[in-house]
Amino acid sequence: MKYKKLFEPIKIGNVELKNRIIFPPVSTNFASADGHLTDKFIKHYARRANGGAALIIVENVCIDYPGGKKGAFEPRIDSYDFLSDWEILTKEIHKQGALASLELAHPGYKDRGVDSLSEKEILAISEKYAKAAEIAKDAGFDMVEVQGAHGLLVNQFLSPLTNHRDDRWGKPIEFAVKVRKRIAERCGWDLPVTIRLAVEDLSQGGIGITEGKALALSLSSGAYNMIQADFGLGPKEKRLEPMAYPEGWRAYLAEAIRPLPVPVAAVGVIRNPETALSILEKQADIVALGRTLIADPDWTNKVKEGKEHLIRKCIGCSECIKARHDEDAAIRCGVNPNVGNEEDIMKAKHKKIVAVVGCGPAGLEATRIAAERGHEVHLFCKEFGGQLNIASVPPGKEKIRWLMEYYRNALQGCGNITAHHGEYAKESIMAIDPDGVIMATGAKPFVPFPIVEGIVYVYDEVLRGTVKFENKIIVVAGGGFVGCETANFLAGNNEITIVEMLNEILPGVETLTRNYLVNELREKGAKVMTKSKLVEIKKGEVVLENTGNGHMEILKCDGIVVATGGKPSIPFAIGDRAHYVVGDAKEVRKIADAVREGYMAAKQL
Ligand SMILES: Cc1cc2nc3c(=O)[nH]c(=O)nc-3n(C[C@H](O)[C@H](O)[C@H](O)COP(=O)(O)O)c2cc1C
Ligand code: SF4
């Protein structure tokens, strides 16, 4: 078997993992505000365990309430009042055949660095780690993990940037070792304790690879039983990577600290089994798949069963990060509508004839679910993938094609789907006499001014390559996601100015993705003009009005590319047939909305 190495057992301390795949901590915001676990929380983790990963490390948990609470919906384990919640969770994880661990995390106290903590306070905090570990052990956890990365408290002790103490706690590993020792004293050395380690801070004067290697060696010698190689205090973008980051790009951290007396895990954008295998062959002993298992909890079993073509890969759309970090809301997934809503797809009581009109993400997801429910599905398809075809064109957006591949593979071989190719025509849809129709016909670009031939172009022509520019001066009208991605596609070979009426570009886009794209545009020399309205288009120039002060400005240009959004496109009314309008055909939004609505509509039919 090609991926045999992924399925070799490995020991962490005295506990054996059935394979090399673990689920790292991914905060969900599924706990309740009082720190108790909810049904949603438990189902989420049980579902990940059910998919075949050997070890589930549950998200960062509050060990010191209220001073060390991080996030409004962080679960708590600072007191035995929470024991029974965790008992239920570990039972469910074990029932699904996986081992359970829990990430003990402490952010440090607000506005106080580690330099200001007294000896008494430091000892009291180390005790809180140990107490939490004891509750975890009593609740049935097989091991615990200490969060020693991401700029949190242990990382602050480890890093020369934040630890300037001249007492014993000034020795970088002292606190981490103390925590490990106190856990062992309360729980016994039998309970394995792993650490998520800041191998590199990625900040001037912080932990560098040489220091990270030395820390890993000291912490693994007799203290921690496995090390997850991660980043420290540096930019958040590097540990919650936007879409453009290549697969497995930071496995070098794990490679750098090996060999060690304990296993080393690599984490970060490991999406394909080939990547996981290559990392296990050269760089690490274990692979940690975070968003990978959010998008498809069955990743492990699919690889084991030779069905890797059926994996729904995380495309890095950052919808989960937007929910968790920008909105403090429960996580959701752009490609997996079951996140936060784990349920089995039930066969329909009555088999129906279902017409799905459109084969973008909404139509394809609706087709998948309607077929799984046993309906006779007719998919009317003009262009397989719809908008995904052009959304995947700009630099760093290639992963979007994975979603198209997934649907192509998942729908192939479903005996109850008939595809009808060509333009949408009401007669051909009515000819199958459908019991229900799902309109997923997408959107058309919205062009707020007349197309002047040879001067004004629309973004989709550019992304499809039917219009090409080289060494031209181009104005991109519209600073939303599509406008900025189109500008990024054109920049480098052309002189680009993005013109946006609002005060800022990329409103509503997840922060790290937004910053990444803004930086890309800046590096390629693209200019941005906000509060600017295009009032006149002439050959060779455009006239702009500043919406703040009314000043006019003339900009020389060879062409204008319009990217001012889209408008729903519904080619005909369906009459009195039961029907649902989903995705961009309902309202122009994101892939996540399209997939979710396609799913919901097919579930209702
Ligand atoms: C929504 C979200 C929440 C996360 N929460 C945590 C957390 O609670 N603790 C932690 O150490 N890392 C957390 N991470 C980081 C992941 O464990 C993982 O290191 C990161 O997502 C990169 O791996 P991936 O590309 O496989 O997702 C989170 C990541 C995401 C996307
Ligand atoms: S929301 Fe997007 S980034 Fe997050 S797991 Fe799903 S596909 Fe990946």
Side-chain angles (χ1 to χ4, degrees):
M1 185 223 191
K2 187 174 167 194
Y3 299 110
K4 193 163 158 268
K5 180 121 195 103
L6 269 70
F7 297 95
E8 286 173 2
I10 186 165
K11 276 188 142 182
I12 296 182
N14 58 1
V15 171
E16 186 168 276
L17 270 59
K18 64 182 175 186
N19 60 44
R20 304 294 178 105
I21 298 148
I22 67 172
F23 181 56
V26 175
S27 291
T28 55
N29 278 342
F30 289 163
S32 61
D34 62 7
H36 281 285
L37 305 189
T38 59
D39 194 40
K40 195 181 267 198
F41 190 103
I42 288 160
K43 282 192 174 142
H44 176 78
Y45 283 102
R47 183 67 187 88
R48 261 90 224 135
N50 174 268
L55 173 71
I56 303 297
I57 309 178
V58 175
E59 68 195 67
N60 64 196
V61 61
C62 176
I63 60 168
D64 177 11
Y65 184 83
K69 187 163 154 74
K70 185 173 159 285
F73 300 97
E74 192 184 40
R76 286 174 60 184
I77 197 162
D78 54 295
S79 119
Y80 269 92
D81 291 349
F82 297 89
L83 177 73
S84 57
D85 293 41
W86 296 108
E87 279 174 339
I88 297 169
L89 180 70
T90 57
K91 263 197 206 103
E92 288 302 317
I93 292 175
H94 289 151
K95 216 194 281 173
Q96 304 302 331
L99 298 173
S101 180
L102 181 64
E103 185 183 57
L104 310 179
H106 199 301
Y109 296 127
K110 215 172 178 338
D111 305 325
R112 290 187 61 193
V114 296
D115 290 352
S116 71
L117 296 177
S118 68
E119 170 90 10
K120 201 169 150 206
E121 284 174 313
I122 294 174
L123 292 175
I125 302 174
S126 66
E127 206 51 42
K128 289 177 195 288
Y129 279 93
K131 182 178 173 191
E134 193 175 67
I135 301 171
K137 186 187 175 204
D138 289 351
F141 279 99
D142 303 282
M143 59 186 85
V144 292
E145 175 149 289
V146 169
Q147 169 45 295
H150 302 183
L152 303 185
L153 186 67
V154 174
N155 190 177
Q156 293 165 28
F157 273 103
L158 294 171
S159 177
L161 275 179
T162 38
N163 186 350
H164 312 99
R165 298 181 70 104
D166 53 13
D167 58 2
R168 69 174 167 130
W169 303 108
K171 192 176 165 207
I173 62 164
E174 193 70 12
F175 182 69
V177 169
K178 177 74 184 172
V179 166
R180 175 63 183 100
K181 208 161 153 243
R182 282 304 297 138
I183 293 177
E185 282 161 3
R186 283 184 82 142
C187 305
W189 283 98
D190 269 4
L191 181 77
V193 182
T194 66
I195 185 163
R196 207 154 211 217
L197 180 66
V199 174
E200 201 178 5
D201 267 335
L202 287 182
S203 277
Q204 188 82 31
I207 303 166
I209 287 286
T210 312
E211 293 81 17
K213 198 172 158 59
L215 289 174
L217 189 59
S218 314
L219 292 172
S220 62
S221 307
Y224 288 92
N225 303 97
M226 186 267 274
I227 293 187
Q228 271 203 66
D230 207 331
F231 287 124
L233 295 159
K236 218 170 170 180
E237 178 189 304
K238 303 288 175 193
R239 51 190 160 85
L240 295 171
E241 300 94 329
M243 191 182 286
Y245 277 73
E247 273 201 88
W249 74 281
R250 55 169 152 136
Y252 75 91
L253 294 171
E255 191 177 6
I257 61 172
R258 284 211 309 171
L260 289 179
V262 301
V264 174
V267 67
V269 203
I270 304 169
R271 306 287 180 250
N272 281 288
E274 286 85 358
T275 312
L277 181 63
S278 147
I279 290 172
L280 288 180
E281 279 168 346
K282 299 187 216 105
Q283 298 172 290
D285 307 293
I286 289 172
V287 283
L289 311 182
R291 285 167 286 180
T292 306
L293 301 191
I294 295 289
D296 192 341
D298 293 323
W299 191 98
T300 312
N301 284 341
K302 285 179 181 171
V303 177
K304 198 171 178 187
E305 291 161 14
K307 295 181 183 159
E308 55 270 21
H309 60 292
L310 294 179
I311 293 173
R312 181 176 42 203
K313 288 173 210 148
C314 160
I315 58 171
C317 67
S318 294
E319 198 62 29
C320 52
I321 300 169
K322 183 168 163 56
R324 165 74 179 96
H325 293 271
D326 286 359
E327 300 166 6
D328 222 346
I331 61 162
R332 50 184 185 263
C333 177
V335 301
N336 178 1
N338 286 123
V339 172
N341 170 40
E342 297 300 343
E343 60 182 354
D344 293 329
I345 298 300
M346 307 302 271
K347 286 272 177 226
K349 280 203 189 101
H350 306 288
K351 183 174 169 179
K352 292 179 182 163
I353 299 173
V354 176
V356 178
V357 191
C359 50
L364 292 173
E365 179 66 13
T367 303
R368 182 180 81 85
I369 298 298
E372 206 173 315
R373 298 193 62 221
H375 293 309
E376 180 186 325
V377 189
H378 292 259
L379 174 61
F380 292 85
C381 187
K382 208 153 68 173
E383 183 190 24
F384 191 90
Q387 288 290 308
L388 298 178
N389 287 286
I390 56 171
S392 58
V393 171
K397 306 289 284 186
E398 305 79 12
K399 292 192 182 92
I400 288 179
R401 298 200 76 78
W402 288 347
L403 189 57
M404 285 161 64
E405 274 168 37
Y406 162 69
Y407 282 120
R408 203 180 285 285
N409 293 335
L411 301 187
Q412 228 166 40
C414 288
N416 53 341
I417 301 174
T418 309
H420 304 260
H421 298 283
E423 291 296 320
Y424 308 134
K426 188 170 180 176
E427 305 73 57
S428 29
I429 292 158
M430 288 309 157
I432 63 160
D433 194 17
D435 300 305
V437 180
I438 297 176
M439 293 296 272
T441 42
K444 287 204 157 45
F446 170 66
V447 184
F449 32 77
I451 297 279
V452 185
E453 195 141 341
I455 302 178
V456 178
Y457 306 89
V458 182
Y459 71 89
D460 64 344
E461 300 172 280
V462 173
L463 294 178
R464 283 182 194 282
T466 50
V467 171
K468 290 192 167 72
F469 299 112
E470 194 76 41
N471 297 320
K472 299 280 188 235
I473 304 173
I474 304 293
V475 165
V476 175
F481 212 13
V482 175
C484 289
E485 291 288 10
T486 308
N488 192 27
F489 174 74
L490 289 169
N493 295 335
N494 299 284
E495 207 180 304
I496 302 293
T497 303
I498 299 168
V499 173
E500 167 59 51
M501 273 171 57
L502 300 176
N503 294 349
E504 55 165 12
I505 56 168
L506 296 166
V509 173
E510 185 273 326
T511 309
L512 301 173
T513 299
R514 179 183 187 279
N515 294 348
Y516 177 87
L517 188 48
V518 167
N519 201 37
E520 282 280 290
L521 291 166
R522 193 179 299 132
E523 279 182 5
K524 291 179 181 172
K527 293 189 206 83
V528 174
M529 294 181 69
T530 51
K531 289 198 234 163
S532 295
K533 190 174 162 192
L534 243 162
V535 287
E536 202 180 345
I537 297 169
K538 303 180 191 168
K539 193 155 178 59
E541 63 185 38
V542 289
V543 182
L544 305 177
E545 181 189 341
N546 184 305
T547 56
N549 56 23
H551 288 168
M552 299 297 215
E553 189 172 342
I554 292 175
L555 224 59
K556 296 244 169 289
C557 68
D558 300 311
I560 297 135
V561 175
V562 185
T564 40
K567 57 172 192 287
S569 161
I570 302 180
F572 43 77
I574 276 304
D576 57 0
R577 302 285 163 136
H579 72 279
Y580 301 86
V581 181
V582 294
D584 279 4
K586 183 176 174 195
E587 186 190 338
V588 179
R589 284 150 307 153
K590 294 179 284 187
I591 295 172
D593 302 294
V595 170
R596 196 179 54 251
E597 283 173 11
Y599 174 91
M600 294 305 289
K603 240 181 59 175
Q604 286 168 51
L605 272 166

